[in-house]
């Protein structure tokens, strides 16, 4: 699943109530509860998949249904082999009815069947197993399980479990839900599924865990005009009166979270891979033309992955569908991938270059899952990173192949930075995190599973070499196809194929949280290295890693690679490069560790090494990736009070002639972080600090200008809005005035060439700078742009600027839009993105006063997003205590991790402020740098 860029929300959760009882003859059990949110056709398994894992030993025979409560996982004495499902959604009443016939294999003595169900009304009278009616039917809402107790032990072997059920097409973007769209001026409902991680149980009773793979045979009953899609191609369909009955081909073995259904009025465009696989992009009627770019990337991706994994795409077709209401960025359902519209549709007239790149990455990510995740599936959610880390890494490999001019591996350092930032908190978690309940799963769809996961894969590939790594991965896919795997299984294959100690090396990175900072000191002709766990609160954890060290001295021609296996090591610098020993006293001497940032660690250099690196930076001797690594490490070390803000500002100033997009993107992020903290740390100096940051960012912005150049590069097109937005936020008057001017022209002529999609956000932000309750023309104009646009990207762009205003009444008005039907639930976080330090108190008062309304309208995971966006605007221990007190009686497991991480970030900022205030030369340094020509 691809996260939405600023949301990291991967699914949705809601706790509902249990209603149990009977209705006379029908005897219905109401199950309503919450958690979160090969060859083609018949030859798909011609190569005979390996035997599935033997089930875990059966537990002692339970005497009562209650003994199954409170378990992390379902018992293994019975498992599904095949689901025959029939579903009939009513798009007007927003309900659905269903019938399931599940072939179940009983492997150990038991009189119980235990499986998942939630938000469903199950017809008790219809339940049969081998024609036996259950004696007991008990639903445990906290665990979302349905327990069937029979009079006697069930016969061993396979039998069919059948039942009827019904449910609601909910508006929570999870399970079987409804999405709204316009068709010929009227609002219509679409029926959509989103089952990852534990929401298939909200559509049909099932063994809703990844290890319970089974085959699926679906039949849908829909209105004749509707397009109805599922994982497999249509086997046959008939129309009888107002009902079209569609039967789909039987799927290969797959996990429940990958089953998918979409029903609505749709159109499509189509392509075919060189291997003959048909790919379609489905959209709302009238938008299919916007699917061309994604279709092209999809065709290329399937072809590339077939070669890389040494295994053909396993299904006969692949559909990609744009969904108007969608919680995550996209979802990799087998053969039927679903996306937010903004993550799939590209319009040449209204979409930005950054959107184009995001679509390419997202499509490549989801299609990588068709092998890494769908064909070979994690055994349990502890191993989620096997899915998401690898898909994130593979998507960059694919997009780099398709668009080498985008320098996508340099941009990958954005992901590494996100992983390093989250993993420097005490409230982080290991890549492999124990999951004890379904309610915990969604919180690990974060920068650790995705970004750290992908980064340690890149580190391992760099250590093993690309060719050895690729061959081992292909072997892993073939070995575990149509089955499940654990992290240890991957390490075993990589170790066998490479001959390297992969398990020992990688276990230190996946089973413990955090990462090291490598302290590098020059003592004579020796480089002394010592590792310690890096934490943003300034403390040193007890973690110890086997660290793949790369080092260069004076040039990139020769590099030293070795494993730091203990706490410290000592190198003769002649071992790093043959000429290095003679350069120690020369002007060309420098040593850089973690060459091109392939390792997931930070480096702190002593003063001599640090000064030499800064000279190398100014002399343009460092690679783009190393330029990024140096400033990111310095920023983190400053936040942890291991280096001064004074030294960080001197380093930032050394980048004033930088022109590369990726480097300036990181300089921009660090600059805005410095500007934010200076508001509280040095209020008397904040204006001068902002002017210094403007001085650094302005030259490349002036060079690019507001208007795109003919045949300019993709990277220049990406850089322009990054710089303009930063200059507006830093208060650069000339940029703000130009943005206001262009916005005024755009309001009266939406087709003006003066404000193409890439620069609109900067202009919108500029226009909001002058908005007040009594002068709100620009605000009204921006709302009009939002309301009149039919493009998801344009709507998101407008929403994300509404709160960026000095007038708190306008901020409140914007926040209250989240309780109207004007803003889709999926887009709430765009509004929160516009909040800044100036509006934080208003936002916090609003959050406290509106919490009950938020909890009612939004899901538990989304509540975590509200907390994260607002709480982290603050930077005092007193505020952290206030937040802690407020949420003490409002805790939910689904957002506990988000709350704890947010509170820790507040305390880290408070400590950073104290460190900054004690710096004696900060003001002097700022003035000195401002005076420089």
């Amino acid at each position: 699943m691809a996260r939405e860029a600023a949301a990291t929300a991967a699914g949705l959760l809601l706790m509902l109530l249990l209603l149990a009882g009977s209705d006379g003859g029908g005897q219905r059990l109401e199950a309503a509860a919450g958690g979160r949110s090969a060859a083609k056709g018949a030859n798909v398994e011609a190569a005979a998949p390996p035997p599935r894992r033997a089930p875990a030993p059966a537990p002692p025979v339970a005497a009562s249904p209650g003994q199954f409560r409170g378990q992390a996982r379902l018992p293994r004495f019975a498992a599904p082999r095949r689901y025959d499902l029939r579903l009939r959604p009513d798009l007007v009443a927003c309900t659905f009815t269903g019938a399931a016939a599940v072939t179940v294999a009983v492997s150990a003595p038991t009189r119980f069947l235990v499986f998942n169900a939630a938000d469903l009304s199950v017809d008790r009278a219809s339940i049969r197993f081998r024609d036996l009616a259950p004696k007991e039917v008990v639903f445990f809402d906290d665990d979302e399980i349905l327990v069937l107790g029979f009079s006697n032990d069930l016969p061993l072997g396979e039998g069919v479990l059948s039942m009827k059920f019904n449910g609601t097409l909910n508006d929570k973007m999870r399970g079987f839900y409804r999405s709204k769209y316009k068709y010929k001026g009227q609002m219509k409902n679409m029926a959509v599924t989103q089952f990852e991680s534990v929401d298939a149980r909200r559509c049909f009773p099932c063994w809703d865990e990844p290890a319970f793979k089974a085959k699926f045979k679906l039949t849908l009953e829909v209105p004749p005009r509707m397009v109805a899609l599922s994982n497999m191609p249509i086997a046959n369909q008939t129309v009888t009166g107002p009902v079209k009955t569609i039967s789909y081909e039987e799927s290969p073995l797959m996990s429940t979270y990958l089953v998918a259904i979409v029903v609505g009025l749709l159109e499509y465009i189509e392509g075919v891979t060189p291997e003959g696989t048909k790919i379609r992009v489905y959209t709302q009627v009238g938008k299919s033309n916007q699917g061309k770019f994604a279709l092209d990337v999809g065709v290329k991706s399937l072809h590339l992955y077939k070669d890389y994994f040494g295994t053909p795409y396993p299904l006969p077709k692949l559909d990609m569908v744009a969904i108007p209401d969608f919680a995550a960025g996209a979802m990799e359902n087998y053969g039927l991938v679903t996306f937010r519209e903004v993550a799939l549709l590209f319009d040449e007239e209204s979409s930005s270059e950054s959107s184009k790149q995001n679509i390419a990455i997202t499509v490549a990510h989801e299609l990588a899952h068709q092998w890494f995740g769908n064909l070979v599936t994690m055994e349990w959610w502890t191993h989620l990173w096997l899915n998401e880390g690898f898909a994130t890494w593979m998507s960059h490999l694919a997009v780099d192949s398709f668009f080498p001019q985008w320098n996508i591996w340099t941009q990958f350092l954005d992901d590494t930075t996100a992983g390093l930032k989250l993993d420097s908190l005490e409230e982080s978690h290991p890549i492999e995190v124990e999951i004890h309940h379904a309610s915990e799963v969604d919180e690990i769809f974060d920068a650790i599973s995705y970004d750290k996961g992908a980064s340690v894969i890149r580190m391992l590939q760099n250590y093993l070499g690309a060719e050895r790594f690729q061959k081992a991965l292909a072997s892993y896919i073939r070995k575990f196809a149509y089955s499940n795997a654990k992290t240890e299984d991957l390490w075993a294959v990589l170790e066998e194929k490479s001959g390297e100690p992969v398990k020992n090396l990688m276990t230190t990175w996946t089973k413990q949280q955090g990462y090291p900072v490598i302290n590098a000191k020059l003592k004579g002709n020796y480089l002394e290295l010592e590792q310690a766990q890096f934490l943003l609160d300034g403390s040193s954890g007890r973690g110890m890693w086997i660290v793949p060290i790369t080092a260069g001295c004076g040039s990139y021609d020769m590099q030293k690679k070795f494993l730091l296996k203990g706490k410290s090591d000592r190198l003769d610098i002649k071992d790093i490069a043959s000429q290095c020993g003679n350069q120690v006293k020369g002007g060309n001497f420098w040593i850089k560790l973690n060459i091109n940032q392939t390792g997931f660690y930070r480096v702190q250099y002593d003063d001599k090494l640090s000064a030499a690196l800064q000279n190398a930076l100014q002399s343009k001797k460092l690679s783009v990736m190393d330029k990024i690594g140096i400033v990111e490490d310095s920023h983190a070390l400053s936040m942890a009070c291991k280096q001064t803000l004074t030294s960080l500002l001197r380093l930032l100033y050394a980048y004033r002639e930088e022109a590369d997009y990726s480097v300036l993107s990181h300089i921009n992020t660090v600059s805005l972080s410095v500007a934010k903290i200076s508001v509280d740390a040095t209020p008397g100096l904040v204006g001068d600090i902002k002017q210094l940051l403007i001085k650094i960012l302005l030259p490349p912005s002036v060079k690019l200008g507001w208007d795109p150049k003919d045949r300019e590069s993709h990277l220049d097109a990406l850089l322009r809005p990054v710089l303009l937005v930063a200059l507006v936020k830093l208060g650069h008057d000339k940029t703000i005035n130009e943005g206001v001017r262009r916005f005024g022209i755009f309001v009266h002529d939406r087709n003006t060439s003066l404000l193409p999609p890439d620069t609109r956000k900067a202009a919108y932000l500029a226009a909001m700078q002058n908005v007040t309750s009594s002068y709100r023309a620009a605000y009204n104009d921006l709302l009009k742009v939002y309301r009149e646009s039919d493009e998801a990207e344009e709507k998101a762009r407008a929403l994300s600027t509404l709160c960026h205003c000095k007038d708190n009444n306008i901020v409140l008005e914007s926040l209250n839009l989240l309780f109207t039907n004007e803003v889709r639930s999926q887009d709430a976080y765009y509004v929160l993105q516009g909040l800044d330090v100036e509006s934080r108190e208003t936002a916090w008062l609003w959050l406290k006063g509106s919490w009950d309304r938020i909890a009612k309208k939004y899901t538990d995971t989304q509540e975590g997003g509200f907390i994260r966006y607002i709480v982290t605007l603050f930077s005092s221990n007193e505020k952290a205590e206030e937040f802690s007190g407020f949420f003490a009686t409002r805790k939910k497991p689904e957002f506990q991790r988000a709350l704890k991480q947010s509170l820790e970030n507040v305390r880290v900022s408070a400590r950073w402020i104290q460190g900054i205030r004690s710096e004696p030369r900060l003001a002097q340094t700022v003035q000195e740098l401002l005076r420089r020509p």
Side-chain angles (χ1 to χ4, degrees), residues 406 441 530 573 640 900:
W406 289 5
V441 176
E530 183 175 340
I573 58 175
K900 290 179 179 179

Side-chain angles (χ1 to χ4, degrees), residues 626-703:
D626 283 336
K627 290 179 184 179
I628 293 170
I630 289 169
V631 75
E632 286 292 352
D633 284 353
S634 184
H635 179 221
L637 290 164
S638 177
M639 290 182 69
C641 299
K642 301 289 188 183
Q643 286 183 1
T644 62
L645 178 62
T646 305
S647 65
L648 175 59
L649 288 174
R650 287 191 180 280
L651 177 64
L652 284 172
Y653 194 78
Y655 288 83
R656 66 193 179 281
E657 295 180 4
E658 184 57 55
D660 180 83
Y661 160 70
S662 290
V663 177
L664 282 168
S665 177
H666 286 263
I667 296 299
N668 166 72
T669 302
V670 173
S671 295
L672 293 177
S673 169
V674 169
K676 177 189 170 186
I677 202 68
S678 66
V679 171
D680 293 320
T682 57
L685 196 58
V686 65
D688 287 341
I689 288 177
K690 286 185 176 181
Q691 287 305 308
L692 176 59
L693 299 173
I694 288 170
K695 185 178 179 181
I696 295 167
L697 296 173
L698 187 59
S701 181
V702 169
K703 183 178 179 181

Side-chain angles (χ1 to χ4, degrees), residues 83-86 98-102 126 128 160-165 204-205:
Y83 291 84
D84 198 324
L85 297 173
R86 192 177 191 94
V102 188
S126 71
R128 293 288 184 277
V160 175
L161 170 67
S162 59
M163 69 190 76
K164 296 178 181 178
F165 54 91
F204 56 94

Side-chain angles (χ1 to χ4, degrees), residues 421-661:
K421 182 178 180 181
L422 179 54
D423 212 27
S424 59
L425 299 179
E426 283 275 12
E427 292 295 342
S428 181
H429 62 82
I431 285 178
E432 295 183 69
V433 59
E434 288 300 320
I435 299 297
H436 303 294
H437 193 275
S439 64
E440 300 172 7
V441 176
D442 273 4
E443 287 208 305
I444 63 168
F445 282 80
D446 61 7
I448 301 301
S449 297
Y450 286 75
D451 302 324
K452 181 181 180 181
S455 298
V456 299
I457 290 162
R458 177 172 177 252
M459 180 169 67
L460 180 60
Q461 187 221 25
N462 183 69
Y463 176 70
L464 295 179
E467 186 175 348
R468 278 202 299 181
F469 188 72
Q470 182 267 324
K471 288 181 178 177
L473 276 190
S475 178
Y476 167 81
I477 292 290
R478 288 192 295 270
K479 182 174 182 178
F480 292 98
Y482 303 102
S483 187
N484 297 83
K486 298 180 179 181
T487 300
E488 292 79 5
D489 297 319
L490 176 61
W491 298 157
V493 173
L494 285 167
E495 195 162 296
E496 176 191 347
K497 298 298 179 182
S498 69
E500 297 285 348
V502 174
K503 181 180 179 181
N504 287 342
L505 165 64
M506 295 308 293
T507 294
T508 67
W509 294 95
T510 63
K511 288 191 178 294
Q512 65 176 335
Q513 76 180 54
Y515 59 87
V517 56
I518 307 299
N519 290 283
K521 297 178 181 178
L522 195 61
K523 292 282 185 74
N525 287 324
Y526 288 92
L527 182 65
E528 295 185 349
L529 305 179
E530 183 175 340
Q531 66 161 301
Q533 183 174 353
F534 178 77
L535 290 165
L536 271 181
D537 66 5
S539 64
S540 292
R542 292 180 293 180
M544 191 71 64
W545 290 262
I546 299 176
V547 188
I549 299 288
T550 52
C553 180
S555 78
Y556 288 88
D557 295 337
M558 294 183 64
Q559 296 178 29
K560 174 77 172 177
K561 291 186 178 184
F562 66 98
L563 292 178
L564 177 62
K565 296 181 179 180
K567 185 169 180 62
S568 60
D569 205 344
R570 190 182 191 207
L571 293 177
D572 186 329
I573 58 175
K574 291 179 181 177
D575 291 340
I576 303 176
S578 57
Q579 304 161 355
C580 195
N582 300 321
Q583 293 180 351
V584 174
K585 297 181 181 179
N588 293 325
F589 168 78
W590 53 267
I591 292 176
K592 173 68 174 66
L593 300 181
N594 197 11
I595 296 294
N596 289 326
Q597 303 304 113
T598 55
F600 194 78
Y601 56 90
R602 298 200 183 280
V603 183
Q604 180 168 14
Y605 300 93
D606 67 15
D607 291 344
K608 182 178 178 64
L609 292 172
S610 184
L613 267 181
Q614 191 157 326
N615 286 335
L617 173 71
Q618 291 174 300
S619 303
K620 304 188 186 323
K621 293 177 181 176
L622 299 182
S623 71
V624 167
M625 289 184 178
D626 283 336
K627 290 179 184 179
I628 293 170
I630 289 169
V631 75
E632 286 292 352
D633 284 353
S634 184
H635 179 221
L637 290 164
S638 177
M639 290 182 69
C641 299
K642 301 289 188 183
Q643 286 183 1
T644 62
L645 178 62
T646 305
S647 65
L648 175 59
L649 288 174
R650 287 191 180 280
L651 177 64
L652 284 172
Y653 194 78
Y655 288 83
R656 66 193 179 281
E657 295 180 4
E658 184 57 55
D660 180 83
Y661 160 70

